[in-house]
Amino acid sequence: MDKRRVTDEKRLLHGGDYNPDQWLTYPDILEEDVKLMKLAHTNTFSVGIFAWAALEPEEGRYAFDWLDKVIEGIDSIGGRFILATPSGARPAWMSKAHPEVLRTDAYRRKHLHGARHNHCFSSPYYREKTQEMNRKLAERYGNHPALLMWHISNEYGGECHCDLCQENFRTFLKNKYDNDLDKLNHSWWGPFWSHTITDWEQIESPSPIGESAVHGMNLDWRRFVSHQTIDFYKSEIEPLRELTPSIPITTNFMSDNPEFVPFTGLDYSEFAKEVDVISWDAYPAWHNDWEDTATTASRTAFLNDHFYTMKNQPFLLMESTPSAVNWHDVNKAKRPGMHYLSSMQMLAHGSDSILYFQWRKSRGSSEKFHGAVVDHDRSSENRVFKEVAQLGQAMEEVSEKVTGYRRVADVAILYDVESDWALKDAQGFGLKTKHYGETLQKHYQSFWDKNIAVDIVTKEQDISAYKLLIVPMLYMMSEETAITLQTFVKNGGTLVSTYLTGLVDESDLTHMGGWLKPLRETFGIEPLETDTFYPSDKNTMVYKGFEYEIKDYATIMEAKGANVLGQYESDFYEGTPALTEHAYYEGKAYYIGARLEQRFHDAFYEELIKKMDLKPALAASHKRGVSIQSREANGMQTIFIMNFTEKTQTLTLHERVLDSQSGEYIEGDLKLKPYDVRIVEKSKEA
Ligand code: GAL
């Protein structure tokens, strides 16, 4: 089996986290689960995620009988199981007997037992013990025909500052700096506030990062935490690779919440290389009171595309809620229809699954009110259950035309987590207004509104095939990346960048001599100063006869070969360039010097889309809030038309497409009720 494929069968996965270990003294519940799974049109369950205490009730005594039965139940309805390694939470006996597994926080306080996701990634005992547990799981279930994949631990994250981790940090640094303290001191700008290190033993992790002035060290610590976490994961999967080489491996990634932007705890671009399939846990705040549904949808779409592009292949939605969550400030129920719509959106953006947290609501503890497929009423008749079943049925119907289908984009936005770390740490500009992830989402929104597919690439990925590359706020940029961007434009690409780009190198040291030469040449400008605004400060820019408001940032710059498309309207830099365009070799480079309102992004990108003849998934006219997204395979496109508004929308389709549900061709007017979805097909050439 090709491990890059999620499954060897052509079906979308529907189901989710199943925690029967909470219900072992309720045999009727376990029986009921199997019946309800069938009724809910579900087929895939992740088991054992937090089940260590049930799998090894005391050190060295393993208990798998209960899991055998659970798997039998899933198998009996033709379902598959995703087997989790239980390292996301430890049993109490372990913390008591081997306190080294407990994490130490940035203030060097050792955690007490409790909660989860809080083990030390360096602990030799924990590494050995997880390997032992994983080996046992692989030996027992590795050949089970219903085993679909491995789910390693759960939402890896956090950091430990214990002595073992400190030692590993120092080793990491010795490797990185070739055992040369001079190199390290230069990179960390050591003499600043007398931070020069004269012996490796003086090095201690930042305590905590927000209070550490040594930005080079903070950055290396972030890199180390990421490295150490991935290293732990690699140790976890060793026995699995050995015993079950053909079973794909994933671990569930996440977003930064509540902002709902890319996760910054780890470097996922590195982690992605080590998993066979990307999976992620999505918890958008639908129906919130700070943005309209379309904007929430656009930001969700951005994250999906971010996860798709990590491996350029379909991913899995590993967790989502069928109704409410329990950890947002306000845990609102999904309105009727939203579950169907939001799930279809995941499929539209490249997910081959809709999986939930969780199958059945717990009876006790902190997640007893978190949404689940089966509520405390144990009924298949309530609204949430019925909506899940309806979705399951619809997924069965479209499975063949979606599973494994790919996304194709001509446009890419570059996201870089290391730059995100450095920018957050930067003392300067607006301390509360950097909003890197959110800024990317705003650029993205203009394309989402127009149904133009976008990839979210990293600085390491091959960008040469894209027509348009957008690089907002890439604060930290190596010379190498600058040259890559320059080459992209030289070869005919269109590049857009913004304020706060290219200010420091990969060690968080500023570039000597001002802006990097390849950037100066490519954009044909020279940035001179960055002005930062108070919320009440006002300035504007006129572009194509319309005035746009500026917020937070304005780069004061000189055009050196670039065309000036927009100028500042006031302040001491009135009349100087705010937006430039530079024809460079075969391509073009635009520089947006200021943070402008969304209306500007929409107008600017609309113009560019026209000029570059970028094509939407389907030729159609509609109001904002309708999204049309496509997946394709073998010259066929499966297209999702989705209404993310609370109103009925009438679209005009300018192409003839086959309506998947009715089997009839449609063109011209199409009515979509609030939250409605229509799936249509066409051949790519048509
Ligand atoms: C996730 C986690 C799940 C569950 C869920 C609740 O972050 O992986 O175990 O706690 O949140 O929304």
Side-chain angles (χ1 to χ4, degrees), residues 17 50 116-117 154-155 252 254 281 283 319 325-327 357 367 370:
D17 285 16
F50 297 113
R116 61 172 176 177
H117 302 159
N154 194 69
E155 294 189 341
N252 48 340
M254 52 185 156
D281 303 342
Y283 294 104
E319 289 181 24
V325 293
N326 68 335
W327 50 267
F357 180 85
E367 290 183 328
H370 191 291

Side-chain angles (χ1 to χ4, degrees), residues 251-316:
T251 183
N252 48 340
F253 290 166
M254 52 185 156
S255 55
D256 263 358
N257 297 311
E259 301 88 350
F260 210 49
V261 292
F263 182 63
T264 51
L266 299 171
D267 184 347
Y268 277 166
S269 67
E270 284 300 313
F271 215 149
K273 294 175 190 161
E274 308 298 334
V275 303
D276 299 317
V277 179
I278 300 288
S279 63
W280 82 288
D281 303 342
Y283 294 104
W286 296 112
H287 321 291
N288 62 57
D289 70 351
W290 62 86
E291 64 192 4
D292 60 12
T293 305
T295 306
T296 310
S298 166
R299 296 191 313 113
T300 308
F302 172 94
L303 285 170
N304 278 317
D305 292 346
H306 166 60
F307 288 111
Y308 184 94
T309 318
M310 270 181 200
K311 279 185 110 62
N312 264 312
Q313 68 181 35
F315 60 89
L316 295 181

Side-chain angles (χ1 to χ4, degrees), residues 469-605:
L469 177 67
I470 304 166
V471 186
M473 293 181 79
L474 191 63
Y475 167 73
M476 185 166 94
M477 195 193 291
S478 64
E479 178 114 28
E480 196 189 333
T481 303
I483 292 171
T484 307
L485 299 182
Q486 181 177 36
T487 311
F488 172 76
V489 181
K490 274 190 177 171
N491 293 339
T494 300
L495 176 68
V496 178
S497 190
T498 71
Y499 55 94
L500 294 188
T501 287
L503 298 188
V504 297
D505 71 6
E506 61 275 35
S507 298
D508 207 352
L509 296 174
T510 57
H511 294 292
M512 293 296 285
W515 223 32
L516 286 162
K517 193 160 159 260
L519 294 183
R520 265 187 279 153
E521 290 175 357
T522 308
F523 290 98
I525 57 160
E526 176 81 52
L528 305 171
E529 286 181 61
T530 304
D531 192 20
T532 306
F533 290 22
Y534 282 100
S536 61
D537 284 343
K538 297 228 176 307
N539 205 337
T540 49
M541 181 191 83
V542 173
Y543 169 66
K544 304 235 167 213
F546 291 95
E547 188 170 79
Y548 297 100
E549 259 182 58
I550 295 172
K551 284 241 164 292
D552 304 329
Y553 298 108
T555 316
I556 304 165
M557 56 187 172
E558 214 176 299
K560 295 210 157 162
N563 262 339
V564 178
L565 301 182
Q567 295 174 337
Y568 294 110
E569 295 279 287
S570 57
D571 219 319
F572 71 94
Y573 41 95
E574 181 184 334
T576 66
L579 171 69
T580 59
E581 171 192 49
H582 189 222
Y584 185 63
Y585 289 80
E586 303 293 308
K588 273 214 170 123
Y590 295 87
Y591 190 79
I592 306 173
R595 180 172 281 169
L596 286 140
E597 59 180 309
Q598 188 61 19
R599 248 176 2 101
F600 164 76
H601 289 147
D602 293 345
F604 174 74
Y605 286 123

Side-chain angles (χ1 to χ4, degrees), residues 66-334:
W66 65 270
L67 187 52
D68 294 350
K69 278 202 203 100
V70 165
I71 288 172
E72 240 171 67
I74 296 170
D75 198 19
S76 73
I77 54 159
R80 307 286 299 266
F81 66 103
I82 298 175
L83 187 52
T85 67
S87 67
R90 301 167 311 277
W93 59 255
M94 192 188 290
S95 305
K96 189 90 183 151
H98 307 274
E100 84 174 37
V101 301
L102 300 170
R103 235 173 231 187
T104 299
D105 71 15
Y107 294 100
R108 314 312 191 238
R109 293 176 302 209
K110 199 157 183 76
H111 286 189
L112 301 174
H113 179 77
R116 61 172 176 177
H117 302 159
N118 52 7
H119 49 279
C120 165
F121 291 125
S122 296
S123 158
Y125 174 81
Y126 205 56
R127 284 180 174 230
E128 198 184 300
K129 207 53 202 166
T130 47
Q131 285 204 349
E132 194 178 300
M133 168 60 79
N134 298 356
R135 178 169 292 279
K136 293 225 180 294
L137 288 170
E139 280 165 357
R140 193 165 184 108
Y141 302 107
N143 289 322
H144 199 293
L147 173 63
L148 185 63
M149 64 192 313
W150 289 107
H151 176 305
I152 310 303
S153 202
N154 194 69
E155 294 189 341
Y156 281 108
E159 57 192 51
C160 175
H161 297 252
C162 73
D163 291 345
L164 290 166
C165 287
Q166 301 292 350
E167 200 46 51
N168 285 331
F169 181 40
R170 288 189 280 268
T171 306
F172 172 85
L173 295 171
K174 282 178 191 163
N175 288 335
K176 176 167 181 188
Y177 294 104
D178 308 322
N179 249 321
D180 184 344
L181 273 181
D182 290 341
K183 278 194 189 166
L184 175 138
N185 279 316
H186 180 260
S187 204
W188 288 8
W189 210 240
F192 177 74
W193 291 355
S194 237
H195 279 88
T196 303
I197 302 285
T198 53
D199 186 319
W200 292 97
E201 288 307 307
Q202 294 159 6
I203 299 175
E204 284 268 340
S205 59
S207 169
I209 267 195
E211 289 169 21
S212 160
V214 185
H215 287 183
M217 171 166 81
N218 296 348
L219 192 57
D220 277 342
W221 172 251
R222 288 254 165 271
R223 288 175 173 140
F224 164 73
V225 168
S226 207
H227 160 90
Q228 193 66 5
T229 309
I230 296 171
D231 191 64
F232 181 88
Y233 157 89
K234 282 181 173 164
S235 149
E236 270 221 41
I237 67 172
E238 259 174 45
L240 311 181
R241 289 287 191 220
E242 180 197 321
L243 296 172
T244 61
S246 64
I247 301 294
I249 293 184
T250 191
T251 183
N252 48 340
F253 290 166
M254 52 185 156
S255 55
D256 263 358
N257 297 311
E259 301 88 350
F260 210 49
V261 292
F263 182 63
T264 51
L266 299 171
D267 184 347
Y268 277 166
S269 67
E270 284 300 313
F271 215 149
K273 294 175 190 161
E274 308 298 334
V275 303
D276 299 317
V277 179
I278 300 288
S279 63
W280 82 288
D281 303 342
Y283 294 104
W286 296 112
H287 321 291
N288 62 57
D289 70 351
W290 62 86
E291 64 192 4
D292 60 12
T293 305
T295 306
T296 310
S298 166
R299 296 191 313 113
T300 308
F302 172 94
L303 285 170
N304 278 317
D305 292 346
H306 166 60
F307 288 111
Y308 184 94
T309 318
M310 270 181 200
K311 279 185 110 62
N312 264 312
Q313 68 181 35
F315 60 89
L316 295 181
L317 177 69
M318 189 57 87
E319 289 181 24
S320 62
T321 177
S323 53
V325 293
N326 68 335
W327 50 267
H328 288 167
D329 280 350
V330 173
N331 296 295
K332 205 169 178 70
K334 279 178 169 172

Side-chain angles (χ1 to χ4, degrees), residues 649-668:
Q649 299 288 346
T650 306
L651 299 75
T652 313
L653 305 183
H654 307 301
E655 288 179 68
R656 202 169 80 112
V657 287
L658 182 69
D659 183 323
S660 297
Q661 276 108 335
S662 70
E664 293 185 353
Y665 282 95
I666 51 172
E667 199 174 358

Side-chain angles (χ1 to χ4, degrees), residues 442-453:
K442 287 191 169 153
H443 285 260
Y444 175 91
Q445 192 181 308
S446 301
F447 294 89
W448 184 85
D449 280 349
K450 304 222 159 330
N451 307 316
I452 309 274

